[in-house]
Amino acid sequence: MEHILVSHISKHLDRHGILNDSQHGFRQARSCETQLIAFIDDLAKEMQGGGQTDVIVMDFSKAFDKVPHDGLLCKLLKCGIDDITLQWLKSFLEKRRQSVVLEGEHSHSVPVTSGDQCWDR
């Protein structure tokens, strides 16, 4: 189901030109390697022209774990994702709980929370 959902949303974003062309992550025929090639190409062009390049490196590992669910739904709504897809995602994300299992022992489950409220459907 995840594959179908990702495919549907990705096609919508591509069809409507919503993503910046420099976005490589999770896109068809793009990868970390294609991003690196584009970066090295830009860097080489700047060096050949005698320019200066400043680089800031950030680690976004586990970034999705920090995305507020309501914020994600709001953003998808603004991108024009259809109501059926939004309702499915909302149903999937709301009232989620998590727990830890270690060596057969289970912790108490706790809600998976998210940030600001934007969802009004």
Side-chain angles (χ1 to χ4, degrees):
M1 188 63 180
E2 285 179 27
H3 178 72
I4 293 168
L5 190 60
V6 167
S7 177
H8 175 73
I9 292 172
S10 294
K11 285 177 184 174
H12 174 85
L13 297 175
D14 284 339
R15 185 172 42 252
H16 296 283
I18 293 171
L19 296 178
N20 186 297
D21 192 51
S22 64
Q23 171 71 38
H24 284 250
F26 305 103
R27 293 185 72 184
Q28 185 91 13
R30 296 181 189 213
S31 64
C32 292
E33 289 83 5
T34 60
Q35 179 70 64
L36 183 59
I37 291 167
F39 170 73
I40 290 171
D41 184 56
D42 290 345
L43 185 63
K45 287 177 185 173
E46 192 64 30
M47 288 175 65
Q48 288 173 349
Q52 176 182 329
T53 300
D54 298 319
V55 178
I56 298 172
V57 179
M58 296 182 282
D59 181 4
F60 289 108
S61 64
K62 297 284 189 179
F64 184 76
D65 294 345
K66 304 198 183 325
V67 172
H69 296 165
D70 285 335
L72 174 63
L73 292 168
C74 185
K75 185 80 167 187
L76 291 172
L77 175 67
K78 290 179 181 178
C79 287
I81 298 299
D82 63 89
D83 286 343
I84 292 171
T85 303
L86 286 171
Q87 290 297 333
W88 190 91
L89 276 170
K90 181 175 186 255
S91 175
F92 177 79
L93 293 172
E94 68 184 2
K95 298 179 184 173
R96 304 219 20 114
R97 298 187 68 79
Q98 65 185 10
S99 65
V100 176
V101 178
L102 179 63
E103 296 179 0
E105 297 293 322
H106 296 259
S107 70
H108 294 288
S109 70
V110 295
V112 178
T113 58
S114 62
D116 45 70
Q117 301 294 314
C118 174
W119 185 256
D120 59 1
R121 291 180 176 231

